[in-house]
């Protein structure tokens, strides 16, 4: 019996590269792995379900799961995780000395509902008293799925010709929450600074305090493929786990370094001391607390009509 041909799309990660090279192969599947930017993958999957499988924004996945009619079935494989204290920027004249000063300000974002924003808004609200209804939000683009704003919150889209960087640099907005450094900051503008100046210390303290290593993306399979070929979900999930393990072993190899990080052995020793032997876990149980917190933030920010249970996000055959 011939294998099932499937096309999947992921960014250029070390933890998915073995699926692209064929070093790891999902059982019963002939997989073609495309390498694309995550924003393009999400847009093409959310608008037209263009690939059989892909990585997916957790924000979009939560929204779609909350509708009760998602075109995707999730897998608890998480190719992207990141701390987000580094993404809080302010204009130096805005009177924002600490994160507690963000209330009542005009804040620029890329789009409401993107996972990085869900995390940092949730953290700012929970730990620094941010009231999302006090903020005038200014978004670069509308959400990739039709996520509403929370009741009482205000948002406008940027006008043609406006950019987040220019608005922040000129003081037209007071602050920005953006996962990539604004061009003005990258160029060394004296008018823009990070609110968490020592963001590395803030992120480490956040992890030490909460145990969270924020999840950004999961993996999904189109529901029609899952219903026609029920074995495929578990097969793809196993392969993603094997590919992750392959990448982890390479990072621990000290003879020839797998990444262009001169002190990589030191970094990996510190990583394992901080996060444990399984420092990038897949599966539900190892990530339950993180997923539950994200589901709570998603509901608070109107992505979902209620706080979703973790089990609602993933196929039954991969819940472990």
């Amino acid at each position: 019996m011939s294998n099932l041909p499937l096309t999947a799309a992921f960014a250029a990660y070390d933890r998915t590269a073995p699926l692209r090279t064929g070093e790891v192969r999902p059982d019963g599947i002939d997989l073609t792995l495309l390498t694309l930017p995550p924003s393009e993958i999400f847009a093409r999957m959310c608008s037209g379900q263009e690939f059989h499988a892909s990585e997916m924004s957790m924000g979009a996945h939560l929204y779609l799961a909350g509708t009760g009619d998602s075109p995707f079935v999730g897998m608890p494989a998480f190719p992207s995780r990141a701390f987000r204290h580094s993404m809080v920027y302010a204009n130096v004249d805005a009177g924002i000395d600490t994160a507690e000063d963000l209330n009542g300000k005009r804040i620029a974002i890329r789009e409401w509902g993107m996972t990085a924003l869900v995390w940092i808004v949730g953290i700012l609200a929970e730990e620094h008293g941010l009231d999302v209804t006090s903020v005038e939000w200014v978004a670069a683009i509308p959400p990739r799925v039709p996520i509403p704003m929370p009741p009482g919150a205000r948002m406008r889209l940027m006008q043609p010709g406006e950019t987040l960087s220019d608005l922040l640099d000129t003081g037209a907005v007071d602050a920005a929450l953006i996962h990539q450094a604004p061009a003005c900051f990258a160029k060394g503008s004296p008018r823009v600074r990070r609110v968490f100046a020592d963001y590395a210390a803030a992120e480490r303290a956040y992890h030490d305090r909460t145990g969270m290593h924020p999840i950004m993306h999961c993996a999904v399979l189109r529901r029609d493929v899952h219903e026609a070929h029920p074995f495929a979900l578990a097969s793809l999930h196993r392969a993603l786990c094997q590919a992750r393990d392959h990448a982890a072993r390479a990072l621990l190899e000290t003879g020839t370094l797998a990444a262009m990080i001169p002190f990589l052995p030191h970094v990996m020793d510190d990583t394992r001391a901080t996060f444990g032997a399984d420092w990038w876990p897949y599966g539900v149980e190892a990530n339950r607390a993180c997923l539950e917190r994200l589901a709570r933030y998603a509901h608070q920010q109107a992505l979902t009509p209620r706080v979703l249970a973790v089990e609602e996000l993933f196929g039954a055959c991969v819940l472990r």
Side-chain angles (χ1 to χ4, degrees):
M1 186 174 179
S2 60
N3 286 346
L4 175 68
L6 294 181
T7 298
F10 286 84
Y13 302 122
D14 58 353
R15 45 229 176 253
T16 55
L19 292 167
R20 186 175 63 253
T21 62
E23 294 169 278
V24 171
R25 299 177 186 273
D27 295 335
I29 294 171
D30 285 333
L31 186 67
T32 300
L33 194 73
L34 305 179
T35 301
L36 296 167
S39 58
E40 181 178 347
I41 294 172
F42 303 156
R44 291 167 70 173
M45 276 296 264
C46 289
S47 64
Q49 295 85 58
E50 191 168 335
F51 314 109
H52 298 111
S54 77
E55 67 180 294
M56 178 54 60
S57 155
M58 282 298 301
H61 186 52
L62 280 155
Y63 167 79
L64 291 167
T67 68
D69 190 30
S70 176
F72 307 122
V73 180
M75 292 169 268
F78 308 110
S80 178
R81 312 176 78 120
F83 293 98
R84 293 305 188 189
H85 288 72
S86 64
M87 66 184 280
V88 187
Y89 297 88
N91 184 280
V92 296
D93 296 322
I96 299 172
D97 297 318
T98 69
E100 284 74 10
D101 298 324
L102 291 166
N103 279 326
K105 301 299 186 181
R106 185 179 295 114
I107 301 179
I109 60 175
R110 174 174 168 78
E111 64 176 298
W112 190 259
M114 66 180 300
T115 316
L117 188 70
V118 174
W119 272 108
I120 194 58
V121 168
I123 291 167
L124 291 171
E126 189 164 38
E127 300 201 341
H128 301 279
L130 179 67
D131 177 0
V132 297
T133 65
S134 77
V135 172
E136 183 180 340
W137 299 97
V138 182
I141 60 174
R144 61 179 64 94
V145 289
I147 297 168
M149 293 296 291
R154 299 161 293 150
M155 185 185 74
R156 75 163 179 88
L157 292 177
M158 292 179 195
Q159 299 300 308
E162 290 184 329
T163 69
L164 183 148
S165 177
D166 288 345
L167 293 175
L168 182 61
D169 199 31
T170 62
V173 298
D174 303 304
L177 305 179
I178 184 68
H179 62 308
Q180 294 176 323
C184 57
F185 182 84
K187 292 175 182 177
S189 171
R191 294 177 296 278
V192 176
R193 66 176 185 83
R194 278 194 169 104
V195 173
F196 295 97
D198 189 350
Y199 66 87
E203 291 171 351
R204 185 176 289 272
Y206 173 75
H207 174 266
D208 291 346
R209 187 168 61 253
T210 67
M212 296 294 109
H213 182 191
I215 292 169
M216 298 294 128
H217 306 164
C218 67
V220 297
L221 179 67
R222 270 189 1 217
R223 188 171 297 277
D224 62 329
V225 177
H226 174 59
E227 291 174 351
H229 308 281
F231 82 94
L233 192 77
S235 178
L236 283 172
H237 185 252
R238 283 194 302 271
L240 285 163
C241 292
Q242 292 164 8
R244 183 273 319 266
D245 292 345
H246 189 284
R249 287 193 297 270
L251 288 171
L252 294 173
E253 172 58 53
T254 59
T256 302
L257 302 186
M260 294 188 297
I261 301 173
F263 293 122
L264 181 61
H266 306 184
V267 170
M268 294 313 302
D269 285 346
D270 180 61
T271 296
R272 287 186 292 173
T274 301
F275 295 91
D278 188 9
W279 72 86
W280 199 282
Y282 285 2
V284 168
E285 291 311 319
N287 292 284
R288 181 174 291 278
C290 189
L291 292 164
E292 287 177 343
R293 184 168 298 211
L294 180 56
R296 175 162 52 85
Y297 289 167
H299 175 58
Q300 291 169 352
Q301 296 171 42
L303 277 72
T304 60
R306 54 183 172 79
V307 178
L308 299 184
V310 171
E311 286 75 13
E312 296 178 80
L313 302 176
F314 307 109
C317 63
V318 291
L319 289 173
R320 57 183 176 85

